[in-house]
């Protein structure tokens, strides 16, 4: 049996993979890679980079990106479409049409991603927008109630899957009550568990069959007042047992300041808590070395979940792009199509 991959997804430094980086990735063997705006210039450059990343580990490893639309999209004009924020998209399409509009939107996003060698999108967000949700997250949500969010996120995920791109639903078990930005501070939620179960957790329960998900850097006092979800065995157990998620579970980016301790300690805590993959995004070598050392290799259960996730990558269904674009344009403006 070949040795399991490192229990990591890593970033790279720039738009071109250096020989030194390629050698590091060959030796460390991350399960996958993630790209950011610093890695993106043109379609041709991006195709070369994704091919070089896969060549560095010698397999068809997944390449991830955050392409939600709105503020959080790494591929932008003039080479790629600009998308309005998800919350605005749902409002524009209207109650009768938002599911179809979102399926079309993410099917078109999948086409853009696949064309440059990207086959996993860190979307959709199944967080619920509340009156106090921090602006860093609020318009990245699909709605202000569990039912709308679950249906919208399902449509987005199915659009991606139809286009051959794996969705990574986030941020389990729910980030919508955060009133601070977890890139900078640690959010804390004091709501009772029964309330959380019928609100924040509910969309994730409805999406528990999806192949991949990402945790939230947020403390739930009702479950574990001492640790954020990413590094809490109690919260990860709840994600598995109560929410019922059986897929591959990634941490959110370990570089975010919501987490305490060294970068290696953060990675080790996430894996010890039950995350399958430690996600590190900034491409800084000393930090990546510490994350790889602390995360170790995929364990047997994580390896099974990783293989099951990759098995969901499919050859995209053929589409008439112009036709789908025309339908999406009509729906996103609140008009019937056809």
């Amino acid at each position: 049996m070949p040795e399991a991959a490192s229990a990591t997804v890593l970033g790279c430094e720039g738009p071109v993979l250096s020989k030194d980086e390629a050698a590091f990735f060959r030796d460390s063997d991350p399960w996958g890679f993630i790209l950011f705006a610093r890695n993106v210039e043109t379609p041709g450059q991006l195709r070369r980079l994704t091919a070089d990343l896969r060549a560095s580990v010698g397999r068809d490893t997944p390449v991830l990106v955050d392409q939600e639309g709105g503020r959080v999209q790494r591929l932008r004009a003039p080479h790629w479409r600009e998308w309005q924020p998800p919350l605005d998209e749902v409002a524009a399409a209207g109650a009768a049409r938002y599911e179809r509009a979102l399926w079309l939107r993410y099917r078109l996003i999948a086409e853009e991603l696949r064309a440059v060698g990207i086959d996993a999108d860190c979307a959709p967000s199944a967080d619920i927008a509340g009156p106090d949700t921090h602006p860093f997250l609020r318009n990245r949500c699909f709605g202000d109630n569990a039912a709308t969010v679950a249906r919208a996120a399902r449509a987005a995920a199915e659009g991606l899957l139809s286009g051959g791109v794996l969705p990574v639903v986030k941020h389990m078990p729910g980030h919508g009550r955060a009133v601070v930005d977890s890139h900078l501070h640690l959010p804390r939620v004091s709501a009772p568990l029964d309330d959380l179960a019928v609100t924040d957790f509910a969309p994730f329960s409805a999406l528990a069959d999806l192949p991949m998900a990402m945790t939230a850097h947020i403390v739930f006092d009702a479950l574990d007042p001492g640790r954020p979800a990413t590094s809490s065995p109690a919260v990860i157990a709840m994600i598995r047992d109560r929410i019922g998620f059986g897929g591959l579970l990634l941490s959110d980016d370990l570089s975010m300041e919501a987490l305490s301790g060294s970068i290696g300690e953060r990675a080790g805590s996430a894996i010890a808590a039950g995350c399958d993959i430690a996600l590190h995004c900034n491409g800084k070598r000393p930090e990546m070395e510490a994350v790889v050392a602390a995360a170790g290799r995929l364990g047997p259960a994580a390896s099974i979940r990783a293989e099951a996730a990759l098995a969901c990558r499919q050859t995209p269904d053929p589409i008439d792009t112009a036709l789908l674009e025309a339908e999406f344009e009509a729906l996103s403006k609140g008009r019937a199509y056809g």
Side-chain angles (χ1 to χ4, degrees), residues 16-76:
V16 177
L17 187 67
S18 70
K19 290 182 179 180
D20 185 55
E21 281 182 308
F24 168 69
F25 291 142
R26 181 189 65 237
D27 294 340
S28 58
D29 194 25
W31 181 75
F33 296 99
I34 188 164
L35 302 180
F36 279 76
R38 67 179 184 272
N39 308 119
V40 177
E41 291 180 342
T42 66
Q45 166 269 324
L46 200 46
R47 281 191 292 271
R48 288 189 295 273
L49 178 58
T50 56
D52 289 346
L53 288 169
R54 290 190 170 99
S56 74
V57 294
R59 53 189 162 79
D60 187 18
T61 194
V63 178
L64 292 69
V65 75
D66 291 282
Q67 194 75 352
E68 299 175 12
R71 288 178 297 107
V72 181
Q73 61 178 91
R74 314 308 181 194
L75 283 65
R76 308 204 77 115

Side-chain angles (χ1 to χ4, degrees), residues 142-331:
F142 287 115
D144 61 4
N145 65 85
T148 296
V149 169
R151 289 195 296 269
R154 171 67 67 184
E158 294 295 342
L160 289 170
L161 285 165
S162 178
V165 171
L166 295 174
V168 184
V169 65
K170 57 191 186 186
H171 305 82
M172 276 195 178
H175 211 307
R177 292 179 191 256
V179 297
V180 297
D181 182 351
S182 56
H183 293 86
L184 304 173
H185 307 284
L186 177 61
R188 180 176 292 273
V189 171
S190 58
L193 188 58
D194 287 346
D195 291 351
L196 292 167
V198 297
T199 54
D200 303 54
F201 302 166
F204 295 100
S205 295
L207 301 165
D209 60 309
L210 291 179
M212 299 170 68
M214 183 182 293
T215 62
H217 296 334
I218 187 170
V219 170
F220 291 95
D221 287 336
L223 289 165
D224 186 344
R227 285 170 288 198
T230 298
S231 53
S232 169
V235 177
I236 303 302
M238 190 277 300
I239 288 171
R240 294 299 190 192
D241 299 334
R242 184 164 184 167
I243 287 177
F245 179 67
L248 190 72
L249 188 63
L250 288 68
S251 75
D252 203 346
D253 182 14
L254 295 170
S255 299
M256 293 165 63
E257 294 306 312
L259 303 180
S260 60
S262 71
I263 200 73
E265 289 168 341
R266 298 175 188 187
S269 295
I271 297 298
C275 291
D276 296 314
I277 297 286
L279 174 66
H280 182 267
C281 297
N282 66 26
K284 296 179 179 178
R285 173 69 67 81
E287 291 190 12
M288 290 194 292
E289 290 172 349
V291 168
V292 169
R297 299 279 166 173
L298 287 169
S303 293
I304 291 170
R305 289 191 283 265
E307 287 302 312
L310 293 182
C312 294
R313 292 188 296 191
Q314 65 184 49
T315 302
D317 299 330
I319 59 170
D320 182 328
T321 302
L323 194 63
L324 293 194
E325 285 179 323
E327 183 183 358
F328 172 74
E329 181 71 14
L331 295 179

